[in-house]
Amino acid sequence: MEKTLVIEHNGEKAVVWEPPQIFSKSDYDLNVLEKALEKTEGPLKEWRKRKFQEYKEWGFPKWKRCTLDGLKLPELSFEYVNENVRLSLLENLDFEGSHRKFVLLADTFFTSFKVFGDGTHTIRSEKDGIENYLITVEKNAKIFKISKTNRFKDSVMRILVKRGATLKFVNVDLFGDFSFDNILIFLEEGSTLIFRDFKAFGNRKIGHVLVKMEKRSTADMKSFFYQNGKGITDVLYLMRFIGEEAEGKLKGNGIVDDSGKVVFRGILDVKRGAKNAVAEEVEHTLLLSPNAKMDAIPSLWVDENEVTASHSASSSSLDENELFYLMSRGLEELEAKKLIVRGIFCEILDEIDEPMRGEVEDVINRIV
């Protein structure tokens, strides 16, 4: 299983804090599993049974920065599933995610399971539920996923980009009460990833993206985020370099308003043997309110000497000089603020097509 933090090095094991777990009486149990199994055929039926054995051993995490107070699992309605999935592939792409509980939740109690390959795929999700995706890219694929959660959403995506293949993936996560988004992308030798992530509004939004990179693979990742009210967005992007001459760049850009909070964790993990790897991370957040909070936690782990690696993070309030300049050109203050906000998100707007572009643009227009 791919771990978020590898705590062993040269035979030494680090001691890290692990969040306490909460075992709830209202958690899904054997009765819910039996309802899921009634709608499942093929290899996934055995998969669900096996994952349930591990699921029941885990409680929900009691996180410090992003508390899950008020979390209540919804009643589930299962879709009929009969996918001829190779379970060995699912095992090879297993990972820890934002917390093991939420990955196992999606593996055991998914309400829908989708399999995609090459081509262009638009995925829309507007209901409470638990989603599981398996994607194998042989040559070229484009994925546009937009999720507008009503109350609760747990999603797990496992993506294998095969040797020399290319994937463009735009992931949009809007609104909702509790949203958990866990993604693993494995880039084989010489493959290419273009990834854009946009998260906005909502009570609790948790994102976890892990990209594992083999020789000469490249990843261009950009994260855009907005949070307001008393909402909290907690995202982690991990790029793990395991092959020579791999190149990965991560850029984060977002806005926090009111008493909202964003936690941005960017981890560049260069393993021994990943010679001549290029690993770069930069993140900036605009704070529109004195009560807005930003925790930027960049991390750089390098086991190899011959690499180029850098990271930086910053936050700032609205630039009064920039605002004054725009107003001196005849814009009202609100118009000037909107122009600045749009400038932060224009890159993602330029990379998506209608009608998805229009929906994202409507959300951005609500920000100021």
Side-chain angles (χ1 to χ4, degrees), residues 116-146:
F116 296 105
D118 286 346
T120 300
H121 311 284
T122 300
I123 304 169
R124 292 181 175 277
S125 176
E126 298 185 2
K127 298 187 296 184
D128 288 358
I130 302 173
E131 302 166 341
N132 209 314
Y133 299 90
L134 177 62
I135 299 164
T136 304
V137 182
E138 302 275 353
K139 294 181 179 178
N140 194 307
K142 294 180 181 178
I143 300 171
F144 300 95
K145 180 172 181 282
I146 181 166

Side-chain angles (χ1 to χ4, degrees), residues 246-274:
E247 182 174 332
K249 297 181 180 179
L250 170 62
K251 181 180 179 183
N253 242 332
I255 298 173
V256 192
D257 201 359
D258 303 327
S259 297
K261 180 177 179 178
V262 168
V263 183
F264 187 97
R265 308 162 197 263
I267 303 176
L268 305 177
D269 185 14
V270 184
K271 293 301 184 187
R272 186 169 297 282

Side-chain angles (χ1 to χ4, degrees), residues 279-318:
E280 297 177 6
E281 176 192 351
V282 59
E283 184 276 332
H284 179 72
T285 301
L286 176 63
L287 303 175
L288 292 181
S289 160
N291 296 321
K293 294 180 180 179
M294 174 68 191
D295 286 350
I297 311 174
S299 300
L300 187 56
W301 303 77
V302 181
D303 287 341
E304 179 57 57
N305 292 323
E306 300 173 39
V307 301
T308 301
S310 64
H311 67 134
S312 66
S314 63
S315 60
S316 66
S317 55
L318 198 62

Side-chain angles (χ1 to χ4, degrees), residues 331-350:
L331 294 178
E332 298 291 335
E333 182 176 351
L334 184 59
E335 290 177 304
K337 286 182 177 178
K338 282 182 175 293
L339 194 61
I340 294 171
V341 167
R342 191 178 179 83
I344 292 174
F345 297 115
C346 66
E347 204 165 357
I348 191 168
L349 288 174
D350 290 342

Side-chain angles (χ1 to χ4, degrees), residues 13-30:
K13 197 170 187 177
V15 177
V16 297
W17 181 82
E18 292 198 8
Q21 297 179 45
I22 300 171
F23 291 87
S24 170
K25 292 182 179 177
S26 59
D27 196 357
Y28 298 136
D29 56 16
L30 188 58

